[in-house]
Amino acid sequence: MRVVVIGTGHVGLVTCGTLAALGHEVVGTDADQEKISRLQSGILPFHEPDLDALVEEQAKDGRLGFTDDASEAIPNADVVFICVSTPPRSTGEANLVAVEQAVRLVGHRASGRTVVVEKSTVPAGTAQRIRHVLLQEGNGVRKELEVVSNPEFLREGSAVRDSLEPDRILVGAERDWAFGVMRELYAPLIANGARLIETDINTAELAKHASNAFLALKISYANALARICERAEADVVAVAEVMGADPRIGPDFLRAGLGYGGSCFPKDLQAFQHLAASLHYDFPLLREIGRINDEAIEATLEKVRAGLWNLEHKRVVLLGLAFKPGTDDVRFSPPLALAARLLDGGATVVGHDPQAMANAKEECPGLLASTDPYEAAEGAHCLVVCTEWPEFRSLDLRRLRDVMAQPFVVDARNLFEPEEILAAGFSYQPTGRPGSP
Ligand code: UGA
């Protein structure tokens, strides 16, 4: 099938690579000309494991190309994916301006039977709006344009695997022929055992927000437990293990820490709250999720303060700046929120991250960045583990201790085992588990 993908961000670019790998002819488009010319030269705009190889291979095999002129590609497409960003407005509502613009272009340029797929996360009810815009832009010409909701469930850091081996493919549509097109599009994945769930459009749109909000709820539940465990001298890691052993609960997303960030959970939670309010349903549970998430930053800050007394004239190292390991993405990154609070308090803050340093510096200019963790730790009074990059596990703890002015670690991701770090001579404050007295 001929596929056009509008928007080459994390979701769009992975969609391009995946659909090309499934054997389709894919054209990726983006309004950002520089991004497209870099993609045409094989340079990816962000770090995502295995994506460069996938894109390179599909481009070499001639199934994947890029253009900054979507209007040229759309008339030949069987399917057009809308993968533009839907950032939050100041009210929390999703800003759907880019979606509307993309859809107007599709309505104007599509020539024949085309399925228009909402891949970007949008509030329930958006498809109706899209349908209306498609009709407006059709200028009275009879076109068979069908809207489908096909939310994405990939995670940054494992996006390629998540897309090629999805646990579910969700398709919301109104007409049989559109369901048929989507089945054909994803046929190889379905044949491989991916579960296809077909629903009406509103249900598919809502299910995406419901899933992300529920995952955020699990994380906030774990973080609230961490606060209680700290007061009760219990161990949140063990509590989560016990809970997770119950298949009704499951072990995932119960890791207490610095809280969730990224371009999805914070934004989607706000958008879901906004949707609930617009439907006149009070959903205070959603507000609590965000409040507990903010509390995780404050709890970490308090540990730093408690160990250092005054923040002024203190050097604090943040190990990890990305919102999670495996990415260079710092959007709504909890480590940067902590950095801002520490800088406000007068500390000198040095960050180290295997991938996200350039993005972090851009987002938080007051932050000093160091490419070497030992150099970052030189003369430091506290080291905060902010992102659980696996490579941090193999740091030479004794060497770190020797270069620091005060051997003090706040482990906001419970990366280390208390025994190993105490044995290396550090004073240690983990999250939701007993540390140094
Ligand atoms: C999330 C969802 O997991 C995907 O299913 C969804 O497709 C995506 O949003 C999206 O809507 O596009 P992502 O934001 O890439 O994916 O990353 P996650 O692995 O979900 O992590 C989100 C945040 O939660 C990170 O900051 C991570 O550190 C934090 N987290 C995760 C915890 O603090 N504790 C946990 O136990 C798990």
Side-chain angles (χ1 to χ4, degrees), residues 152-154 156 208 212 253 255 260-261 264 323-324:
E152 185 52 65
F153 294 106
L154 63 81
E156 286 182 30
K208 167 69 187 192
N212 274 4
F253 282 71
R255 266 182 294 111
Y260 59 77
C264 304
F323 83 98
K324 63 180 281 190

Side-chain angles (χ1 to χ4, degrees), residues 141-421:
V141 181
R142 224 182 111 69
K143 297 179 182 178
E144 271 194 280
L145 303 183
E146 194 57 29
V147 185
V148 160
S149 167
N150 173 219
E152 185 52 65
F153 294 106
L154 63 81
R155 293 159 297 177
E156 286 182 30
S158 57
V160 171
R161 198 182 59 231
D162 289 348
S163 297
L164 290 171
E165 297 163 30
D167 46 18
R168 63 214 190 280
I169 298 169
L170 173 57
V171 175
E174 302 298 336
R175 285 176 202 265
D176 284 346
W177 73 264
F179 278 120
V181 167
M182 297 306 282
R183 275 178 223 140
E184 192 182 331
L185 196 69
Y186 287 120
L189 298 181
I190 297 164
N192 253 349
R195 181 171 172 203
L196 175 68
I197 305 176
E198 296 181 337
T199 67
D200 62 83
I201 297 189
N202 286 348
T203 301
E205 290 172 332
L206 196 98
K208 167 69 187 192
H209 270 142
S211 296
N212 274 4
F214 192 78
L215 291 170
L217 168 72
K218 277 188 95 175
I219 298 168
S220 280
Y221 191 84
N223 280 325
L225 285 180
R227 304 287 83 79
I228 296 181
C229 285
E230 280 164 5
R231 288 161 175 79
E233 293 181 27
D235 183 346
V236 77
V237 175
V239 171
E241 194 184 338
V242 173
M243 289 172 63
D246 182 335
R248 293 171 301 174
I249 298 174
D252 295 334
F253 282 71
L254 283 178
R255 266 182 294 111
L258 199 52
Y260 59 77
S263 67
C264 304
F265 288 173
K267 155 181 90 77
D268 289 353
L269 204 71
Q270 283 189 35
F272 199 32
Q273 260 171 264
H274 197 275
L275 177 77
S278 71
L279 296 171
H280 309 291
Y281 181 69
D282 191 26
F283 204 163
L285 183 60
L286 295 182
R287 278 199 296 281
E288 260 312 272
I289 298 171
R291 189 196 64 75
I292 294 169
N293 200 51
D294 294 342
E295 194 179 72
I297 308 275
E298 296 307 313
T300 306
L301 180 70
E302 272 322 300
K303 284 178 194 150
V304 177
R305 273 190 200 286
L308 299 187
W309 190 13
N310 296 302
L311 291 178
E312 289 89 347
H313 311 294
K314 303 286 163 56
R315 179 177 166 102
V316 180
V317 177
L318 303 186
L319 269 190
L321 302 167
F323 83 98
K324 63 180 281 190
T327 179
D328 59 357
D329 197 341
V330 296
R331 287 175 291 175
F332 293 94
S333 176
L336 292 194
L338 178 66
R341 299 285 284 119
L342 288 164
L343 287 166
D344 282 350
T348 300
V349 185
V350 190
H352 167 77
D353 190 284
Q355 291 290 343
M357 224 116 75
N359 287 343
K361 272 294 286 176
E362 203 170 302
E363 191 82 3
C364 182
L367 183 78
L368 304 176
S370 173
T371 49
D372 179 66
Y374 303 101
E375 187 192 276
E378 193 88 45
H381 301 85
C382 177
L383 190 148
V384 188
V385 182
C386 292
T387 312
E388 67 280 31
W389 284 92
E391 42 268 64
F392 293 162
R393 283 210 180 87
S394 47
L395 283 170
D396 182 340
L397 294 177
R398 287 195 163 76
R399 188 173 158 203
L400 271 180
R401 184 205 56 201
D402 288 346
V403 298
M404 286 177 72
Q406 183 178 334
F408 175 38
V409 170
V410 173
D411 192 348
R413 294 290 180 185
N414 289 330
L415 179 81
F416 296 110
E417 279 309 318
E419 304 76 45
E420 60 171 330
I421 200 139

